[in-house]
Amino acid sequence: MTAQRFALRLLAGYRPSAVQRMALATQNATTQRRALATQNATSQTTADSGELYDVVIIGGGPAGCALAAALGSLDSLSRKRVALVDPGKLSEMRQWTPPADAYLPRTLQITSSNKRYLDNLGLWQWCFEDRVQAYNRAVVTDALGGGAVDLAAMTLHGRNDTAFMVETKNLVSGLLKALDHSSSCVDVVERARVTEIEATPSMWPVVTLSNSRRLQARLIVGADGASSRVRKYAGIGTYGTEYSQYGLVATLCLEQLNSSAFQRFLPSGPIALLPFPGGFANLVWSLDSELVQLLKTAPEAIFGDLINAAFRLTPAEMGYIYSLLRSGVDPDIIGAEISWRLDVFARNNPDTNIKLPPRVAALSPRSRTSFPLRMRMVDSLVANRVALIGDAGHVMHPLAGQGLNMGLADVQCLAQVLEQAAAAGEDLGSAAVLDRYNSQRYVRNLAMQGIVDKVWHVFGAHSGTVATLRSLAMNGLDRLPAIKSRMIHAFMQ
C-alpha cells in the first residue's frame, strides 16, 4: 500500500493496525533520508565543481582584456557570467600613470579597422590618446639590392587607411578602465595563477586557481600567450619555425618630429623605426643571438649612432663597426668612425633624405630589451569547450606588425559568434558555436602567417640574384600607386 493511498484511507476514517503504522513510519524515514542524500549530493557536486561561469578568459594581456571588454559591452551577453583571470596585478595596471618624459619599449601597431572596432565599443577612449601616434606612411628599403618602396596611404573608397602606434601598457590599462567603468558582467580575478584545468562528468571544465578558487565554465578562452596552458590542456598541437633571431626593442629620441614608419632589410635582419608623439620612436631590430647581446650591451652614448648607421651604411660597413664593438674599441673612437662614415654618406647621397628616418639623438635610458622570434601555428583554434585567441593561437615575426591585429581580429570574430549564439539561446561552449569561430579565423590566420614568413625568407636571402630581383620588384611597385594603396588597404583591414 503506497503512502498516498494510506493517507486517503485515513481521511476516510480508516484506523491502521500497529504493524501498518510501523511500516508507514519506516517508509517516511526512508523517503526523508533519500531526499536529504539527494540534496547533500547536489550541494557537494556544486561545491566540488566550483563557481559557475559562462566564459572564463585566461590571460589579461591585450587580447584577453579586449575580449573581456568586448563581451562586457554587449547587451545580449549582459546576463552571462564572464571571468577574466590573470596572475598579474591588474588593478595596478588599470591605474597605470604614464611617465611624462618617456615612452615604454613594448609597443603595438593597431590597424585602422581594429581601432575603429575598439572605438565603436567605447573602449579606445579610455587609453591616453595623447600618447598614441597615427601614421599613414611607411618606407621600406633593401640594404643589399638597393630597392625602395614608399607606402604612403591614399584615400580609397572615401577613407584614408592609417595605422596607430600605442604602448602595450596604455592599451591594456585603457581596456581595464573601460571594464571598471561599465556595468558589465565581467569579474576580474587578479593575482591568480592557473594550477589545473580538468574535465568533469558534466563536461564543463573546471579551472583551479592558486588562490584556491575553482571556476567551472561553459567555455574557456585561452588568451595566455605562446606557452598557453589552456592550449596544452585542450591537447591542441603546434608546429612552426624558430628563426634563430631575437627582436631588440628600445625607445629612441629623434632629432626632429616624425610621423612615418621606416624599415630596412639588412642581411642580419630587418630594422624598423616606428613613430611616437613628441619626437620619440620605437625600435624593433631583428638580430641573431650574438649580435643582439652585442648591441644590448653597447654603450648608450653610441647606440643612437649605431641606429643611424644601420639605416644608411652598407652591410660591409656595418660588419666593420660590429667588429670594432666585439674588439672592445673605445666607444669614442667607434662614435667618431660612424660619424665620419655618415658624413661621407650624406655628401654622396644628397637626395635620399626623404626615404630616411630622422637621425636618432639619444637612447631612452634602460629601455633596451629583447625577445625570441618564432612562428607558431596550431592544429585548430578550438577544442572541447575551448577557444584560443591571440598568441595562444598564432605567433609570427613582428616585421609586418600584424601579431596583435590578428589577435584583435580573433576577438572581433569570437565576440560576434558568442553574441549571436546568446541571442539564439545556444550553449556558448558547444561544438557548433566554436566551429563557426574556427572556420572564420583559422585559415585567415594561417594565410597571414604564411605571407609574413615568406617575406622574411625572401629578404633573408643573401644571393645577389635574389637581391636584385626583389629590389626590381620593390622599385616597380613604388611606381604603381594604385596597387600600393590597395595593398595598404588590405593590410589595414
Side-chain angles (χ1 to χ4, degrees), residues 38-50 52 201-202 214 216:
T38 302
Q39 181 180 353
N40 290 340
T42 302
S43 300
Q44 186 65 40
T45 300
T46 303
D48 288 346
S49 299
L52 301 181
S202 69
R214 290 167 59 82
Q216 188 173 28

Side-chain angles (χ1 to χ4, degrees), residues 378-397:
V378 294
D379 293 333
S380 173
L381 288 172
V382 301
N384 183 36
R385 297 200 174 274
V386 168
L388 304 178
I389 62 173
D391 285 356
H394 41 76
V395 176
M396 61 194 300
H397 197 288

Side-chain angles (χ1 to χ4, degrees), residues 66 84 130-131 204 253 301 310 332 355:
L84 172 65
D130 60 331
R131 297 179 67 85
W204 287 20
C253 305
D332 290 339
K355 292 190 176 180

Side-chain angles (χ1 to χ4, degrees), residues 142-144 245 264-270 286 288 291 314-316 318 456 459-462 470:
D142 181 9
L144 281 179
Q245 283 194 323
R264 191 186 195 201
F265 285 92
L266 299 163
S268 56
S286 301
D288 63 38
L291 274 179
T314 66
M318 290 304 299
W456 184 86
F459 281 92
H462 299 168
R470 71 189 178 217

